[in-house]
Amino acid sequence: MAQLSDDCFAFGGPMMSVDEAVAIIAARVRPVGESETVALLDADGRILAGDVAAPLPLPPFMNSAVDGYAVSGADLPQNGDRAFPVAGRVQAGASAQPVAPGHAVRIFTGAPMPSGTDTVFMQEDVRIDDAGNVILPSGLKLGANVRPAGEDIARGHVALASGRRLRPQDVAVAAAFGLTTLDVVRRVRVGVFSTGDELAAPGAARSEAQLFDSNRFMLMAMLRRLGCEVGDLGILRDEQAALAAALKQAARRYDLILTTGGVSTGEEDHVKAGIEQAGSLVLWRMAIKPGRPVAMGIVDGTPLIGLPGNPVASFVTFVHVVRPTVLALSGATPAPLQPMPVRSAFSYKKKSGRREYVRASLRRAADGSLEAIKFPREGAGLLSSLIETDGLIELAEAVVQVVPGDAVGFLGYAELL
Ligand code: AMP
Ligand code: MG
């Protein structure tokens, strides 16, 4: 599958900033460009493949916003109360008869406004006299408590634009238009490998020097949340030729290949060399912590991202490199993550020139504002640090230190995917 142009360049020099790297990847990734029609409910979380314009106005007709009495604006009481004969009754879903001047109509929320009326008095604000007339007070504005046709969405307005990642409220709009299906981009197919002789698959026998492979399952779960179709390609051993062959084979079946582990400079890190053998390396060193080495390459036109092996580094680089790549492959409107400003309750020092992510929990300070507490340990291998915190504090390249009270940007785990 050819999603990438072939004019790649190897990058082995200085570290590349996260933004530069993501821009390079985004520029080279071509959207999969195929769509499918799905039932409304199945469209949640998918990427809309074409604009959806309103085939009718919302609301479709002028209706009452409250339970009460409808009258003509020309008859509104000016100085003090005025009695109106009640000329009829219209409930939601019923059709309304025209109303003569000087009359009121009993009306309920959602019922169509009878012709000859344009204003509704709330039932709480009126009285009924002994003769059965409704007594309406002065002071109400013409058009009060009425929802005009199209006040929500005008006919023809593009309410849902192509590239939108659909949420439950978007599905509601499509349903309000009377649609039963939506055209969405077909799921991006991603093949996931773990690499490392020390890994045993959960369920398989584990030798003394092995640990169970956790990254593959984390990454596959993250990909699912992004709406991908995930291919579990198992564990590759630390052996370059076999690795290159496996990458080449996967390139034929997937839109994107993801690996974890083996991207550092160690003698037993074979992913970079494996990419170079199977295809070409586009970039490799990225100024992000935890993370650092992240490889991006192309194998027979299919993009490949090699994430680091340490679980936290793998998680963080997924969010900042894989997520934008998957969105670009699906033709989604770019959705940069927006850190929420919170107050730091911790001190931290960092090198300038690289972006860092600090695992943190939020708590409510005495004055009611949110403050971030740093996880006490920093190891990139600590899975506990990801489950015992609420999200990541983003520290920009230029920052060199944080002191308690500083404003910092917080990205909650729930918003990352
Ligand atoms: P590497 O990037 O291959 O040097 O691995 C760095 C660290 O991450 C090592 O301690 C590995 O054992 C660990 N690691 C690598 N891959 C995985 C994985 N799939 N699941 C859990 N830990 C891993
Ligand atoms: Mg390894």
Side-chain angles (χ1 to χ4, degrees):
M1 283 173 209
Q3 270 88 35
L4 285 167
S5 57
D6 288 321
D7 57 327
C8 332
F9 59 96
F11 192 94
M15 294 223 199
M16 191 179 283
S17 77
V18 182
D19 288 343
E20 271 178 291
V22 168
I24 286 174
I25 295 171
R28 281 148 193 269
V29 164
R30 309 253 179 287
V32 297
E34 295 158 37
S35 63
E36 59 189 355
T37 302
V38 297
L40 276 196
L41 186 54
D42 297 326
D44 182 37
R46 305 292 299 271
I47 307 297
L48 193 62
D51 289 349
V52 176
L56 76 176
L58 291 186
F61 52 90
M62 181 159 85
N63 67 91
S64 178
V66 297
D67 289 351
Y69 291 83
V71 297
S72 161
D75 292 336
L76 289 178
Q78 295 305 326
N79 305 298
D81 296 350
R82 178 174 161 191
F84 288 74
V86 179
R89 186 176 190 279
V90 51
Q91 63 201 54
S95 55
Q97 302 305 312
V99 174
H103 290 72
V105 170
R106 180 74 169 121
I107 196 163
F108 297 91
T109 306
M113 292 293 289
S115 82
T117 71
D118 52 23
T119 306
V120 179
F121 285 79
M122 289 174 72
Q123 61 189 22
E124 293 85 341
D125 297 337
V126 310
R127 283 182 297 118
I128 306 292
D129 70 11
D130 295 341
N133 294 318
V134 63
I135 314 297
L136 305 179
S138 59
L140 198 63
K141 284 207 185 76
L142 189 149
N145 300 317
V146 165
R147 304 187 282 220
E151 78 159 4
D152 185 7
I153 299 177
R155 185 199 300 271
H157 174 69
V158 176
L160 304 174
S162 183
R164 187 179 185 90
R165 193 163 158 210
L166 297 167
R167 301 166 299 170
Q169 53 267 52
D170 302 314
V171 172
V173 167
F177 290 165
L179 304 176
T180 58
T181 60
L182 283 169
D183 291 341
V184 298
V185 179
R186 78 149 166 81
R187 293 187 189 278
V188 174
R189 297 177 191 127
V190 187
V192 183
F193 288 107
S194 288
T195 74
D197 289 347
E198 77 281 30
L199 301 176
R206 182 187 69 83
S207 70
E208 224 180 331
Q210 285 189 312
L211 45 95
F212 289 120
D213 174 6
S214 55
N215 288 356
R216 186 158 42 101
F217 297 90
M218 174 177 75
L219 297 172
M220 291 194 296
M222 293 174 97
L223 287 164
R224 284 255 180 98
R225 288 210 178 192
L226 289 179
C228 298
E229 188 179 302
V230 180
D232 182 353
L233 303 180
I235 301 167
L236 293 172
R237 298 301 157 196
D238 287 319
E239 207 269 291
Q240 186 189 318
L243 195 142
L247 298 182
K248 243 180 144 50
Q249 206 191 357
R252 287 199 288 273
R253 290 161 42 209
Y254 294 96
D255 302 309
L256 174 67
I257 302 167
L258 212 55
T259 67
T260 168
V263 282
S264 305
T265 43
E267 281 172 35
E268 292 303 331
D269 291 316
H270 300 294
V271 170
K272 177 171 167 275
I275 296 172
E276 283 168 328
Q277 185 181 334
S280 54
L281 193 68
V282 174
L283 58 91
W284 171 47
R285 303 174 75 219
M286 204 177 289
I288 181 171
K289 185 187 170 186
R292 248 130 2 140
V294 177
M296 198 262 166
I298 296 146
V299 175
D300 295 335
T302 298
L304 182 155
I305 298 175
L307 300 179
N310 275 307
V312 180
S314 194
F315 182 91
V316 167
T317 52
F318 181 99
V319 168
H320 297 286
V321 181
V322 179
R323 177 184 178 275
T325 305
V326 165
L327 292 180
L329 277 167
S330 60
T333 308
L337 295 166
Q338 300 288 3
M340 177 180 72
V342 298
R343 198 154 15 102
S344 170
F346 62 87
S347 303
Y348 192 76
K349 281 195 166 44
K350 71 179 269 294
K351 281 196 188 129
S352 89
R354 76 178 175 210
R355 184 160 333 151
E356 295 200 15
Y357 290 93
V358 175
R359 286 145 274 168
S361 302
L362 293 183
R363 77 172 168 214
R364 207 44 88 181
D367 66 357
S369 63
L370 285 174
E371 60 181 20
I373 305 143
K374 181 181 163 301
F375 189 75
R377 290 177 296 153
E378 282 176 24
L382 303 172
L383 272 176
S384 57
S385 69
L386 289 176
I387 61 173
E388 290 170 19
T389 53
D390 300 319
L392 302 171
I393 297 291
E394 181 174 271
L395 300 176
E397 285 77 355
V399 171
V400 292
Q401 75 164 357
V402 175
V403 296
D406 282 357
V408 289
F410 175 80
L411 292 164
Y413 293 136
E415 290 104 70
L416 294 179
L417 297 165

